[in-house]
Amino acid sequence: MTAPLHEVHPAGPGRALPDTQQGMRRRNLARVMHAVNAEGPLSRAAVASRIGLTRAAVSTLVDELIRTGLLEELGPERPGRVGRPGSALAVSGHGPAGIGAEIGVDHLAVCAVDLRGQVRARAVRHGANRGGSPEPVVAELTELVRRVVAEAEGEGLWPAGLAVAVPGLVARDARTVVRAPNLDWHDTDLGALLPDDIPLTVDNEANFGALAELWLGEGTPLDFLHVSAEIGIGAAVVVAGGLLRGTRGFAGELGHVPVRPDGPACPCGGLGCLEQYAGEEAVLRAAGLEPGEDRVGLLAGRAAEGDAEVRRALRDAGEALGIALTGAVNLLDPESVVLGGALAGLAPWLLPSLEAELDRRTAGPACPVSVSRLGPEGPLLGAAHSVVRAVLDDPAVVGERD
Amino acid sequence: MTAPLHEVHPAGPGRALPDTQQGMRRRNLARVMHAVNAEGPLSRAAVASRIGLTRAAVSTLVDELIRTGLLEELGPERPGRVGRPGSALAVSGHGPAGIGAEIGVDHLAVCAVDLRGQVRARAVRHGANRGGSPEPVVAELTELVRRVVAEAEGEGLWPAGLAVAVPGLVARDARTVVRAPNLDWHDTDLGALLPDDIPLTVDNEANFGALAELWLGEGTPLDFLHVSAEIGIGAAVVVAGGLLRGTRGFAGELGHVPVRPDGPACPCGGLGCLEQYAGEEAVLRAAGLEPGEDRVGLLAGRAAEGDAEVRRALRDAGEALGIALTGAVNLLDPESVVLGGALAGLAPWLLPSLEAELDRRTAGPACPVSVSRLGPEGPLLGAAHSVVRAVLDDPAVVGERD
DNA sequence: ACTAATTTGTAAACCGCCATGACGAAATAG
DNA sequence: CTATTTCGTCATGGCGGTTTACAAATTAGT
């Protein structure tokens, strides 16, 4: 029961399933779940017209989904219209739950989200995770996970999967942390250190942040660029509602896009990379501040106070971001750009110069830039929701357990 | 029979088909076609094991495909192994054909490609198409199309669709040329000017060139960046075997990626765009040459002769390309970069500096850069093959005609 | 040579899944 | 109070792939 490492981003309802009648059934189960999930309580007839099947077919699909605890019958709808009122169906609040976890530089967090998207349990532990060996940190995380799972189970939920967001590069096996500079971890197999009774997925926090924006953001399109910064600057490219990961899984390295090709050398080997202008360290240095604990808070505080030096540093960073984003926007033609992570908190001072650069360098209407309203919770929520989406995308796999 | 504007880029075998039994059948027909097309002559049993269906199911699918003329039975295979030899199946060379057409700045070309990928008929007309009104040019193209179709029909083929490559931006309706600066065409609806008895698709020549590379190139991966230049510099982003088009269809505008943010002004409104360093005009100017007829040939000739000024101009252009590509590669992590179009001919003098820049700006192993071996034929072949792929992706639609 | 083993293609029976059509149930409209 | 509309379900049927069985065509072994 450890095994089936569910895909983090199945770019749509149930993909590569075998094209046999059973596969068809599985896909149709998924379509019912998606319809009910997306458009609130719905009657069987409403679902049928949404997904293009007959009422009879939907009836049997719904029966199965209710039997396996993924849907709930809420009872008769309020009449309003002519004809017999339907019986409202809703995604279950007592079925599977997605367990999301985040390993931050100086905190650990875990939460449980039900199929409806509600956070039903959470736990946080503050304190630096930097530098030490991974084992004790992951042991603490495991403890938090157990606590959250117990709490969720108390509410009638059961864990369908665990997704862990880490600040670093993750191998395509979705288990191994290849490199997490801020934690000083290298080639760490989290699969060996975490509970093995729950299907596990590990991914970069920026990716989960982008997915959170995709699934939870208001009016977020299916094609956008999500930019976030912790210590490095990363972008996640979302195309047609799925993450673009790249051949080696390294896509989105916006931080090393050349901004001024003859600029200062970057540890990556390049010259004048964006990170040299808009990276946390670079901005702190330009602002004349010492790198300390809550660096983003410090910058935001000073900028809010009106500190001219800090504001200039942020304005310059926004300019560099604008230049790098011009390239990205020209290449990808996204519907919008979303600023998340630490950038969201600094947006008031970054945005003006960023948008100005983007605007004047783009022919025609510029690509709209917005700020994530999810704040620092993004990656954690994205992780938990990725498990929920996996269930919605293939309800049959969880139905098999009993 | 004019209507069904088949998708140019259905990112895989038969997508958004309805999830009913008929849809399943259609997808399985497509899978049989793809298996036979990709792996040469195959017996029914071999196809069955490839696509995961039973021999019996494949038998009925093959029967239908033979009846509609998409597959051919070649007869018994040469034994070799133990057991009854299978009967070899091949994609038909007498069924539907894809008609590809290209409107170049100074030529028109049309060809017919059968399902096997063989070019079975072609016609070319040289002479400038620049500046004048579209009608007479399209009338000439129509004449060429009629000739090629007649020739193909003489060989037992019938036209399944017409795909036209144009040097400009095409609206998402795949019929209207929004802007083709080199032809001086604006908002031209080719659908109204071309024969209306064949399903029509119009697309940018760079897109078709990239697709040709994807389908015809040797060892081309499913994720790569195809860079081509005619007058502007365009990139096509291929992800998972499909074109990334962008929200407005403007993805791939590599020419306006900022290379030196304080560089010379570009007509697009930007500063220091790649096109200001590696665009045809810019290179000619840097090389001290006058813009004339065969500009690429001129540059290649001088460079081959050893003209130092030309070589320096090309080296500088390669450098600028390398900088812009560093950004693109960091963002997309493609498996390779392919140089096509006019760039292919100039590659010997562009590549060294291009690769040097890419190399030193990238951490770890640099993204390999290769040169298209399709030459100037790419877009034309890509157009014709796009029709062929559409048939392979959904064999049922052509089966319906009779 | 002759038999045994293996593989292919097809036909018949079967099962699963959705569509069709009919029906009772529960609401509104007149 | 009846006609109409809509919902959910049931029985029937068609369609599509699987299972099972078998004849055909080849190689392997004696």
mmCIF file of all heavy atoms in Angstrom, chain A residues 147-187:
data_model
loop_
_atom_site.group_PDB
_atom_site.id
_atom_site.type_symbol
_atom_site.label_atom_id
_atom_site.label_comp_id
_atom_site.label_asym_id
_atom_site.label_seq_id
_atom_site.Cartn_x
_atom_site.Cartn_y
_atom_site.Cartn_z
ATOM 1 N N ARG A 147 0.499 13.678 14.001
ATOM 2 C CA ARG A 147 -0.474 14.429 14.785
ATOM 3 C C ARG A 147 -1.633 14.896 13.907
ATOM 4 O O ARG A 147 -2.811 14.755 14.267
ATOM 5 C CB ARG A 147 0.212 15.630 15.443
ATOM 6 C CG ARG A 147 -0.127 15.745 16.917
ATOM 7 C CD ARG A 147 1.002 16.345 17.703
ATOM 8 N NE ARG A 147 1.224 17.745 17.404
ATOM 9 C CZ ARG A 147 2.386 18.365 17.634
ATOM 10 N NH1 ARG A 147 3.399 17.692 18.139
ATOM 11 N NH2 ARG A 147 2.518 19.638 17.350
ATOM 12 N N VAL A 148 -1.267 15.444 12.754
ATOM 13 C CA VAL A 148 -2.313 15.948 11.858
ATOM 14 C C VAL A 148 -3.189 14.811 11.348
ATOM 15 O O VAL A 148 -4.418 14.940 11.272
ATOM 16 C CB VAL A 148 -1.662 16.718 10.683
ATOM 17 C CG1 VAL A 148 -2.682 16.938 9.571
ATOM 18 C CG2 VAL A 148 -1.111 18.040 11.176
ATOM 19 N N VAL A 149 -2.561 13.701 11.023
ATOM 20 C CA VAL A 149 -3.341 12.559 10.534
ATOM 21 C C VAL A 149 -4.305 12.092 11.618
ATOM 22 O O VAL A 149 -5.483 11.821 11.355
ATOM 23 C CB VAL A 149 -2.403 11.406 10.106
ATOM 24 C CG1 VAL A 149 -3.205 10.119 9.909
ATOM 25 C CG2 VAL A 149 -1.673 11.768 8.819
ATOM 26 N N ALA A 150 -3.824 12.027 12.852
ATOM 27 C CA ALA A 150 -4.690 11.586 13.946
ATOM 28 C C ALA A 150 -5.875 12.538 14.095
ATOM 29 O O ALA A 150 -7.025 12.111 14.217
ATOM 30 C CB ALA A 150 -3.893 11.521 15.252
ATOM 31 N N GLU A 151 -5.589 13.822 14.018
ATOM 32 C CA GLU A 151 -6.656 14.806 14.158
ATOM 33 C C GLU A 151 -7.669 14.668 13.022
ATOM 34 O O GLU A 151 -8.882 14.714 13.247
ATOM 35 C CB GLU A 151 -6.056 16.216 14.166
ATOM 36 C CG GLU A 151 -7.029 17.286 14.610
ATOM 37 C CD GLU A 151 -6.374 18.665 14.649
ATOM 38 O OE1 GLU A 151 -5.124 18.727 14.776
ATOM 39 O OE2 GLU A 151 -7.102 19.665 14.524
ATOM 40 N N ALA A 152 -7.161 14.483 11.815
ATOM 41 C CA ALA A 152 -8.056 14.335 10.662
ATOM 42 C C ALA A 152 -8.900 13.079 10.808
ATOM 43 O O ALA A 152 -10.101 13.075 10.513
ATOM 44 C CB ALA A 152 -7.233 14.286 9.377
ATOM 45 N N GLU A 153 -8.273 12.015 11.259
ATOM 46 C CA GLU A 153 -9.020 10.765 11.424
ATOM 47 C C GLU A 153 -10.125 10.936 12.465
ATOM 48 O O GLU A 153 -11.197 10.347 12.343
ATOM 49 C CB GLU A 153 -8.074 9.629 11.810
ATOM 50 C CG GLU A 153 -7.331 9.070 10.594
ATOM 51 C CD GLU A 153 -6.246 8.056 10.960
ATOM 52 O OE1 GLU A 153 -5.813 8.043 12.137
ATOM 53 O OE2 GLU A 153 -5.821 7.303 10.071
ATOM 54 N N GLY A 154 -9.847 11.757 13.452
ATOM 55 C CA GLY A 154 -10.865 12.044 14.444
ATOM 56 C C GLY A 154 -12.103 12.682 13.835
ATOM 57 O O GLY A 154 -13.207 12.575 14.359
ATOM 58 N N GLU A 155 -11.917 13.329 12.699
ATOM 59 C CA GLU A 155 -13.048 13.973 12.028
ATOM 60 C C GLU A 155 -13.612 13.099 10.915
ATOM 61 O O GLU A 155 -14.352 13.569 10.060
ATOM 62 C CB GLU A 155 -12.615 15.320 11.464
ATOM 63 C CG GLU A 155 -12.148 16.273 12.549
ATOM 64 C CD GLU A 155 -12.231 17.713 12.067
ATOM 65 O OE1 GLU A 155 -13.148 18.037 11.293
ATOM 66 O OE2 GLU A 155 -11.367 18.507 12.462
ATOM 67 N N GLY A 156 -13.206 11.863 10.886
ATOM 68 C CA GLY A 156 -13.776 10.954 9.897
ATOM 69 C C GLY A 156 -13.051 10.945 8.564
ATOM 70 O O GLY A 156 -13.552 10.408 7.579
ATOM 71 N N LEU A 157 -11.892 11.544 8.505
ATOM 72 C CA LEU A 157 -11.121 11.556 7.254
ATOM 73 C C LEU A 157 -10.055 10.465 7.291
ATOM 74 O O LEU A 157 -9.677 9.988 8.354
ATOM 75 C CB LEU A 157 -10.444 12.912 7.084
ATOM 76 C CG LEU A 157 -11.380 14.102 6.901
ATOM 77 C CD1 LEU A 157 -10.648 15.400 7.185
ATOM 78 C CD2 LEU A 157 -11.931 14.111 5.497
ATOM 79 N N TRP A 158 -9.566 10.083 6.132
ATOM 80 C CA TRP A 158 -8.410 9.192 6.097
ATOM 81 C C TRP A 158 -7.402 9.729 5.089
ATOM 82 O O TRP A 158 -7.776 10.301 4.058
ATOM 83 C CB TRP A 158 -8.811 7.758 5.776
ATOM 84 C CG TRP A 158 -9.514 7.579 4.462
ATOM 85 C CD1 TRP A 158 -10.856 7.650 4.234
ATOM 86 C CD2 TRP A 158 -8.906 7.319 3.191
ATOM 87 N NE1 TRP A 158 -11.130 7.448 2.920
ATOM 88 C CE2 TRP A 158 -9.954 7.235 2.244
ATOM 89 C CE3 TRP A 158 -7.594 7.133 2.758
ATOM 90 C CZ2 TRP A 158 -9.727 6.981 0.897
ATOM 91 C CZ3 TRP A 158 -7.367 6.879 1.416
ATOM 92 C CH2 TRP A 158 -8.425 6.803 0.503
ATOM 93 N N PRO A 159 -6.123 9.596 5.350
ATOM 94 C CA PRO A 159 -5.087 10.208 4.511
ATOM 95 C C PRO A 159 -4.907 9.476 3.193
ATOM 96 O O PRO A 159 -4.615 8.290 3.175
ATOM 97 C CB PRO A 159 -3.828 10.092 5.372
ATOM 98 C CG PRO A 159 -4.080 8.914 6.241
ATOM 99 C CD PRO A 159 -5.561 8.877 6.501
ATOM 100 N N ALA A 160 -5.073 10.197 2.092
ATOM 101 C CA ALA A 160 -4.941 9.578 0.774
ATOM 102 C C ALA A 160 -3.536 9.728 0.228
ATOM 103 O O ALA A 160 -3.164 9.061 -0.730
ATOM 104 C CB ALA A 160 -5.933 10.196 -0.190
ATOM 105 N N GLY A 161 -2.757 10.606 0.814
ATOM 106 C CA GLY A 161 -1.410 10.818 0.321
ATOM 107 C C GLY A 161 -0.741 11.940 1.076
ATOM 108 O O GLY A 161 -1.401 12.762 1.714
ATOM 109 N N LEU A 162 0.578 11.954 0.994
ATOM 110 C CA LEU A 162 1.357 12.998 1.652
ATOM 111 C C LEU A 162 2.209 13.694 0.600
ATOM 112 O O LEU A 162 2.919 13.036 -0.170
ATOM 113 C CB LEU A 162 2.270 12.366 2.721
ATOM 114 C CG LEU A 162 3.341 13.263 3.341
ATOM 115 C CD1 LEU A 162 2.704 14.424 4.095
ATOM 116 C CD2 LEU A 162 4.240 12.447 4.274
ATOM 117 N N ALA A 163 2.110 15.011 0.539
ATOM 118 C CA ALA A 163 2.918 15.778 -0.416
ATOM 119 C C ALA A 163 3.783 16.752 0.369
ATOM 120 O O ALA A 163 3.273 17.483 1.221
ATOM 121 C CB ALA A 163 2.029 16.527 -1.396
ATOM 122 N N VAL A 164 5.079 16.742 0.087
ATOM 123 C CA VAL A 164 6.017 17.553 0.858
ATOM 124 C C VAL A 164 6.660 18.615 -0.029
ATOM 125 O O VAL A 164 7.221 18.290 -1.081
ATOM 126 C CB VAL A 164 7.115 16.673 1.486
ATOM 127 C CG1 VAL A 164 8.044 17.510 2.334
ATOM 128 C CG2 VAL A 164 6.497 15.553 2.296
ATOM 129 N N ALA A 165 6.568 19.860 0.392
ATOM 130 C CA ALA A 165 7.196 20.960 -0.331
ATOM 131 C C ALA A 165 8.550 21.261 0.297
ATOM 132 O O ALA A 165 8.640 21.436 1.514
ATOM 133 C CB ALA A 165 6.311 22.199 -0.266
ATOM 134 N N VAL A 166 9.585 21.300 -0.512
ATOM 135 C CA VAL A 166 10.918 21.602 0.006
ATOM 136 C C VAL A 166 11.539 22.756 -0.779
ATOM 137 O O VAL A 166 11.243 22.934 -1.957
ATOM 138 C CB VAL A 166 11.853 20.378 -0.082
ATOM 139 C CG1 VAL A 166 11.332 19.242 0.775
ATOM 140 C CG2 VAL A 166 12.012 19.928 -1.511
ATOM 141 N N PRO A 167 12.383 23.550 -0.141
ATOM 142 C CA PRO A 167 13.014 24.685 -0.824
ATOM 143 C C PRO A 167 14.252 24.226 -1.573
ATOM 144 O O PRO A 167 15.371 24.541 -1.188
ATOM 145 C CB PRO A 167 13.379 25.618 0.329
ATOM 146 C CG PRO A 167 13.634 24.690 1.482
ATOM 147 C CD PRO A 167 12.770 23.484 1.282
ATOM 148 N N GLY A 168 14.073 23.478 -2.621
ATOM 149 C CA GLY A 168 15.227 23.011 -3.376
ATOM 150 C C GLY A 168 14.817 22.166 -4.565
ATOM 151 O O GLY A 168 13.630 21.979 -4.832
ATOM 152 N N LEU A 169 15.820 21.668 -5.266
ATOM 153 C CA LEU A 169 15.570 20.854 -6.456
ATOM 154 C C LEU A 169 15.226 19.432 -6.067
ATOM 155 O O LEU A 169 15.880 18.830 -5.215
ATOM 156 C CB LEU A 169 16.827 20.841 -7.332
ATOM 157 C CG LEU A 169 16.772 21.689 -8.593
ATOM 158 C CD1 LEU A 169 16.295 23.094 -8.270
ATOM 159 C CD2 LEU A 169 18.123 21.717 -9.273
ATOM 160 N N VAL A 170 14.209 18.878 -6.703
ATOM 161 C CA VAL A 170 13.775 17.520 -6.400
ATOM 162 C C VAL A 170 13.909 16.663 -7.650
ATOM 163 O O VAL A 170 13.575 17.109 -8.749
ATOM 164 C CB VAL A 170 12.309 17.524 -5.918
ATOM 165 C CG1 VAL A 170 11.819 16.104 -5.673
ATOM 166 C CG2 VAL A 170 12.176 18.363 -4.663
ATOM 167 N N ALA A 171 14.416 15.454 -7.493
ATOM 168 C CA ALA A 171 14.582 14.553 -8.639
ATOM 169 C C ALA A 171 13.221 14.169 -9.191
ATOM 170 O O ALA A 171 12.200 14.319 -8.527
ATOM 171 C CB ALA A 171 15.362 13.309 -8.227
ATOM 172 N N ARG A 172 13.225 13.640 -10.396
ATOM 173 C CA ARG A 172 11.952 13.321 -11.043
ATOM 174 C C ARG A 172 11.259 12.138 -10.392
ATOM 175 O O ARG A 172 10.106 11.848 -10.692
ATOM 176 C CB ARG A 172 12.165 13.066 -12.533
ATOM 177 C CG ARG A 172 12.672 14.313 -13.259
ATOM 178 C CD ARG A 172 12.238 14.368 -14.688
ATOM 179 N NE ARG A 172 10.808 14.601 -14.812
ATOM 180 C CZ ARG A 172 10.222 15.115 -15.884
ATOM 181 N NH1 ARG A 172 10.944 15.461 -16.913
ATOM 182 N NH2 ARG A 172 8.925 15.284 -15.923
ATOM 183 N N ASP A 173 11.942 11.439 -9.507
ATOM 184 C CA ASP A 173 11.268 10.353 -8.805
ATOM 185 C C ASP A 173 10.310 10.898 -7.744
ATOM 186 O O ASP A 173 9.562 10.160 -7.126
ATOM 187 C CB ASP A 173 12.283 9.400 -8.165
ATOM 188 C CG ASP A 173 13.087 10.071 -7.047
ATOM 189 O OD1 ASP A 173 12.872 11.272 -6.798
ATOM 190 O OD2 ASP A 173 13.920 9.390 -6.432
ATOM 191 N N ALA A 174 10.359 12.212 -7.522
ATOM 192 C CA ALA A 174 9.477 12.867 -6.554
ATOM 193 C C ALA A 174 9.687 12.333 -5.137
ATOM 194 O O ALA A 174 8.741 12.266 -4.351
ATOM 195 C CB ALA A 174 8.015 12.753 -6.970
ATOM 196 N N ARG A 175 10.905 11.941 -4.831
ATOM 197 C CA ARG A 175 11.219 11.468 -3.484
ATOM 198 C C ARG A 175 12.531 12.065 -2.972
ATOM 199 O O ARG A 175 12.698 12.304 -1.786
ATOM 200 C CB ARG A 175 11.376 9.944 -3.464
ATOM 201 C CG ARG A 175 10.110 9.162 -3.733
ATOM 202 C CD ARG A 175 10.440 7.682 -3.897
ATOM 203 N NE ARG A 175 11.322 7.216 -2.857
ATOM 204 C CZ ARG A 175 10.974 6.388 -1.878
ATOM 205 N NH1 ARG A 175 9.767 5.943 -1.827
ATOM 206 N NH2 ARG A 175 11.828 6.004 -0.965
ATOM 207 N N THR A 176 13.448 12.294 -3.913
ATOM 208 C CA THR A 176 14.803 12.653 -3.524
ATOM 209 C C THR A 176 15.075 14.149 -3.679
ATOM 210 O O THR A 176 14.820 14.721 -4.742
ATOM 211 C CB THR A 176 15.824 11.892 -4.390
ATOM 212 O OG1 THR A 176 15.465 10.514 -4.398
ATOM 213 C CG2 THR A 176 17.215 12.066 -3.850
ATOM 214 N N VAL A 177 15.570 14.768 -2.621
ATOM 215 C CA VAL A 177 15.993 16.161 -2.689
ATOM 216 C C VAL A 177 17.414 16.189 -3.230
ATOM 217 O O VAL A 177 18.346 15.736 -2.564
ATOM 218 C CB VAL A 177 15.957 16.821 -1.294
ATOM 219 C CG1 VAL A 177 16.465 18.246 -1.379
ATOM 220 C CG2 VAL A 177 14.558 16.775 -0.731
ATOM 221 N N VAL A 178 17.555 16.671 -4.448
ATOM 222 C CA VAL A 178 18.874 16.685 -5.074
ATOM 223 C C VAL A 178 19.769 17.720 -4.404
ATOM 224 O O VAL A 178 20.922 17.456 -4.080
ATOM 225 C CB VAL A 178 18.763 16.992 -6.574
ATOM 226 C CG1 VAL A 178 20.135 17.082 -7.209
ATOM 227 C CG2 VAL A 178 17.925 15.925 -7.272
ATOM 228 N N ARG A 179 19.198 18.891 -4.185
ATOM 229 C CA ARG A 179 20.013 19.986 -3.699
ATOM 230 C C ARG A 179 19.092 21.031 -3.077
ATOM 231 O O ARG A 179 18.198 21.550 -3.742
ATOM 232 C CB ARG A 179 20.777 20.605 -4.873
ATOM 233 C CG ARG A 179 21.826 21.616 -4.521
ATOM 234 C CD ARG A 179 22.885 21.731 -5.623
ATOM 235 N NE ARG A 179 22.309 21.860 -6.962
ATOM 236 C CZ ARG A 179 21.909 23.018 -7.491
ATOM 237 N NH1 ARG A 179 22.024 24.119 -6.809
ATOM 238 N NH2 ARG A 179 21.408 23.056 -8.698
ATOM 239 N N ALA A 180 19.293 21.305 -1.803
ATOM 240 C CA ALA A 180 18.529 22.349 -1.127
ATOM 241 C C ALA A 180 19.526 23.241 -0.408
ATOM 242 O O ALA A 180 19.847 23.022 0.757
ATOM 243 C CB ALA A 180 17.531 21.742 -0.150
ATOM 244 N N PRO A 181 20.034 24.252 -1.086
ATOM 245 C CA PRO A 181 21.136 25.059 -0.550
ATOM 246 C C PRO A 181 20.793 25.682 0.793
ATOM 247 O O PRO A 181 21.641 25.720 1.692
ATOM 248 C CB PRO A 181 21.363 26.134 -1.619
ATOM 249 C CG PRO A 181 20.408 25.872 -2.714
ATOM 250 C CD PRO A 181 19.536 24.731 -2.379
ATOM 251 N N ASN A 182 19.543 26.121 0.945
ATOM 252 C CA ASN A 182 19.201 26.814 2.187
ATOM 253 C C ASN A 182 19.132 25.876 3.372
ATOM 254 O O ASN A 182 19.177 26.304 4.518
ATOM 255 C CB ASN A 182 17.859 27.523 2.054
ATOM 256 C CG ASN A 182 17.869 28.444 0.862
ATOM 257 O OD1 ASN A 182 18.913 28.643 0.238
ATOM 258 N ND2 ASN A 182 16.732 29.004 0.536
ATOM 259 N N LEU A 183 18.971 24.597 3.107
ATOM 260 C CA LEU A 183 18.967 23.622 4.188
ATOM 261 C C LEU A 183 20.323 22.941 4.291
ATOM 262 O O LEU A 183 20.631 22.286 5.283
ATOM 263 C CB LEU A 183 17.890 22.558 3.927
ATOM 264 C CG LEU A 183 16.443 23.037 3.884
ATOM 265 C CD1 LEU A 183 15.529 21.910 3.409
ATOM 266 C CD2 LEU A 183 16.014 23.528 5.253
ATOM 267 N N ASP A 184 21.089 23.081 3.216
ATOM 268 C CA ASP A 184 22.360 22.381 3.102
ATOM 269 C C ASP A 184 22.134 20.863 3.044
ATOM 270 O O ASP A 184 22.848 20.092 3.670
ATOM 271 C CB ASP A 184 23.291 22.754 4.264
ATOM 272 C CG ASP A 184 24.763 22.523 3.889
ATOM 273 O OD1 ASP A 184 25.041 22.489 2.674
ATOM 274 O OD2 ASP A 184 25.574 22.339 4.798
ATOM 275 N N TRP A 185 21.117 20.475 2.302
ATOM 276 C CA TRP A 185 20.848 19.048 2.088
ATOM 277 C C TRP A 185 21.256 18.686 0.660
ATOM 278 O O TRP A 185 21.084 19.455 -0.271
ATOM 279 C CB TRP A 185 19.359 18.727 2.239
ATOM 280 C CG TRP A 185 18.839 18.881 3.630
ATOM 281 C CD1 TRP A 185 19.513 19.359 4.720
ATOM 282 C CD2 TRP A 185 17.523 18.554 4.085
ATOM 283 N NE1 TRP A 185 18.709 19.362 5.817
ATOM 284 C CE2 TRP A 185 17.475 18.867 5.465
ATOM 285 C CE3 TRP A 185 16.391 18.033 3.472
ATOM 286 C CZ2 TRP A 185 16.331 18.670 6.233
ATOM 287 C CZ3 TRP A 185 15.249 17.839 4.238
ATOM 288 C CH2 TRP A 185 15.221 18.155 5.606
ATOM 289 N N HIS A 186 21.778 17.472 0.518
ATOM 290 C CA HIS A 186 22.155 17.017 -0.826
ATOM 291 C C HIS A 186 21.771 15.557 -0.992
ATOM 292 O O HIS A 186 22.077 14.734 -0.134
ATOM 293 C CB HIS A 186 23.657 17.184 -1.045
ATOM 294 C CG HIS A 186 24.111 18.601 -0.913
ATOM 295 N ND1 HIS A 186 24.080 19.493 -1.953
ATOM 296 C CD2 HIS A 186 24.554 19.294 0.153
ATOM 297 C CE1 HIS A 186 24.511 20.671 -1.532
ATOM 298 N NE2 HIS A 186 24.802 20.578 -0.250
ATOM 299 N N ASP A 187 21.112 15.253 -2.093
ATOM 300 C CA ASP A 187 20.761 13.866 -2.411
ATOM 301 C C ASP A 187 20.170 13.142 -1.201
ATOM 302 O O ASP A 187 20.640 12.079 -0.805
ATOM 303 C CB ASP A 187 21.997 13.125 -2.922
ATOM 304 C CG ASP A 187 22.493 13.728 -4.228
ATOM 305 O OD1 ASP A 187 21.676 13.883 -5.141
ATOM 306 O OD2 ASP A 187 23.686 14.071 -4.302
#
